[in-house]
Amino acid sequence: MKIMVVDDEVEIRRLLSKILKLKFKNYEVVEASEGAEALKLLDESQVDIIFTDINMPNGMGGQELLEKLSQRKFGGSVYVMSGFYDNEKFKDNPIVNNFFAKPFNIDDIISAVKEVKVRDVA
Amino acid sequence: MLHNYVYDIDGTITKEGYDLWYLTSLALARDKGEFEKNINDWKTSKEDLYSRSLKMMNLAVAGFSSNNIEEEVLKIIFDIGFNNLIRPGALEQISRDIEKGRVCFSTTNYSQGAQVLSRLIEEHLGLNPGLIKVKGSIIDLNERRVISLNLGPEKILGIEGVIAQAYGDDPLGNDQAMMEAANRAYIINTLKNKEVSLYDRLYW
């Protein structure tokens, strides 16, 4: 299982990745600082879960990344993390599994990964 | 001769009010009310600092709900935010000192927690992992007891070479030995030490 964290805020990206690596020791966690880097990583290997920020001004933003994932028919789980938008913007987007308003509780992210794990086992 | 630049962590590298040992122990406490009671007993105890601190840490460790110190510390830092937790002046000073000698973090906090913070600071400053030496209290997580309490004179025990500079926020207590042993010591300004007239004062 591979998880990708897409966020332009380096400390958030780094800390979230470290926590996920510690919590899910058998999972690989990769990081991207914006959408284009995320798509490049997706070209290189399969990713099962994506946590993505939306507002990433120095590169491809999360909204465009969601569109690209949709075009590619990405089959994994996608979670949006944003401090700028609310759930309304994403609730009808079929590619988005859930939305986390920043600042979010890290346990909610861990629960999301556990849910995917359970779904996969089932 | 190796020149060491020794930093206390809680209140010195972290901003005032963010005591990582307290936050970590509280997060890991099975019974948070009991933990707070132990903290209060520690504050009011007439025993010397080392004895009452050892007793309190043993009680804290015995009451852990899990052994995942690293994960709890990461969660705490994530919740607070790295930039909200760490004094920017400390980061600047560490990057200057690393050019001059060996930077060592010496804390009474659990060594696992100190290691997590040290790695994050190394990453933030673009330093190689492990470049900063870390000295913290050693815990036997299987037996749930303190093996070595890194407090007072213990904070500089085993640090080979000269202590060129020391940075602390508790010059009359936990950081006293460390600051006295240094060629030059700096006191990090906090409300608790504002009346102390020893050492040069830094307002990080």
Side-chain angles (χ1 to χ4, degrees):
Chain A
M1 185 89 86
K2 190 182 273 190
I3 303 170
M4 185 193 289
V5 178
V6 190
D7 200 314
D8 61 340
E9 286 185 66
V10 61
E11 306 298 356
I12 289 182
R13 196 175 71 230
R14 195 175 278 162
L15 276 165
L16 183 52
S17 300
K18 279 184 184 296
I19 293 169
L20 291 172
K21 276 179 200 168
L22 258 181
K23 191 77 195 171
F24 303 99
K25 290 194 167 58
N26 296 327
Y27 291 21
E28 193 181 340
V29 183
V30 292
E31 299 175 31
S33 60
E34 47 89 30
E37 193 184 347
L39 291 173
K40 191 168 175 289
L41 286 169
L42 278 169
D43 286 339
E44 290 165 6
S45 66
Q46 188 190 322
V47 171
D48 305 283
I49 307 171
I50 297 175
F51 290 98
T52 184
D53 186 19
I54 292 298
N55 191 28
M56 295 181 280
N58 294 322
M60 183 192 289
Q63 191 62 54
E64 191 179 346
L65 174 62
L66 293 177
E67 286 162 20
K68 301 276 186 199
L69 291 173
S70 207
Q71 286 164 13
R72 287 173 174 226
K73 299 187 174 18
F74 176 71
S77 301
V78 180
Y79 296 89
V80 168
M81 319 174 287
S82 179
F84 289 89
Y85 301 97
D86 61 21
N87 189 32
E88 281 302 303
K89 188 171 174 67
F90 304 100
K91 69 180 171 65
D92 295 325
N93 188 332
I95 199 145
V96 177
N97 289 66
N98 209 342
F99 171 86
F100 299 107
K102 283 182 177 177
F104 49 78
N105 186 326
I106 191 68
D107 287 328
D108 292 340
I109 299 281
I110 290 168
S111 298
V113 176
K114 282 181 180 166
E115 276 173 29
V116 173
K117 195 174 160 187
V118 169
R119 276 207 306 270
D120 278 8
V121 172
Chain B
M1 181 70 80
L2 189 58
H3 280 66
N4 294 284
Y5 295 79
V6 186
Y7 290 71
D8 167 54
I9 292 184
D10 286 340
T12 297
I13 292 175
T14 64
K15 290 179 185 172
E16 195 170 5
Y18 290 121
D19 183 329
L20 268 186
W21 178 82
Y22 170 79
L23 294 170
T24 307
S25 302
L26 180 65
L28 285 166
R30 200 181 309 111
D31 184 337
K32 304 208 186 303
E34 181 70 20
F35 173 71
E36 293 288 8
K37 183 189 163 298
N38 294 335
I39 290 281
N40 199 46
D41 289 348
W42 171 80
K43 282 180 184 166
T44 55
S45 170
K46 297 278 186 266
E47 280 185 284
D48 64 273
L49 180 66
Y50 187 91
S51 303
R52 63 192 161 108
S53 299
L54 180 62
K55 189 186 286 180
M56 184 178 67
M57 192 177 276
N58 266 315
L59 287 169
V61 172
F64 274 4
S65 57
S66 106
N67 286 343
N68 261 329
I69 296 176
E70 290 95 337
E71 190 184 311
E72 283 308 325
V73 172
L74 279 169
K75 282 181 178 181
I76 289 162
I77 298 172
F78 189 86
D79 283 345
I80 297 169
F82 181 84
N83 295 316
N84 294 328
L85 177 73
I86 306 296
R87 295 178 186 269
L91 292 173
E92 287 170 19
Q93 190 64 43
I94 291 164
S95 42
R96 281 195 290 270
D97 286 347
I98 208 94
E99 298 293 324
K100 296 185 278 184
R102 181 171 65 175
V103 169
C104 176
F105 293 171
S106 191
T107 175
T108 308
N109 195 359
Y110 313 114
S111 61
Q112 294 96 326
Q115 287 282 358
V116 167
L117 189 74
S118 163
R119 291 287 174 274
L120 290 173
I121 288 175
E122 285 168 345
E123 284 183 6
H124 182 90
L125 297 175
L127 304 173
N128 289 333
L131 198 60
I132 296 172
K133 182 183 167 66
V134 178
K135 192 171 181 318
S137 294
I138 310 292
I139 309 300
D140 182 337
L141 284 169
N142 294 320
E143 297 286 328
R144 292 279 172 88
R145 66 182 183 88
V146 178
I147 295 172
S148 159
L149 184 71
N150 199 49
L151 184 142
E154 295 280 331
K155 287 182 90 164
I156 49 169
L157 204 67
I159 298 179
E160 292 168 15
V162 172
I163 298 181
Q165 288 178 191
Y167 306 86
D169 68 323
D170 190 9
L172 300 177
N174 195 3
D175 299 328
Q176 185 174 2
M178 178 182 105
M179 294 173 84
E180 283 177 355
N183 289 345
R184 189 158 189 185
Y186 294 92
I187 180 168
I188 313 309
N189 189 62
T190 64
L191 279 174
K192 276 193 278 187
N193 65 35
K194 65 178 181 174
E195 304 298 333
V196 179
S197 56
L198 297 163
Y199 310 116
D200 290 328
R201 188 167 286 268
L202 295 173
Y203 297 84
W204 281 345

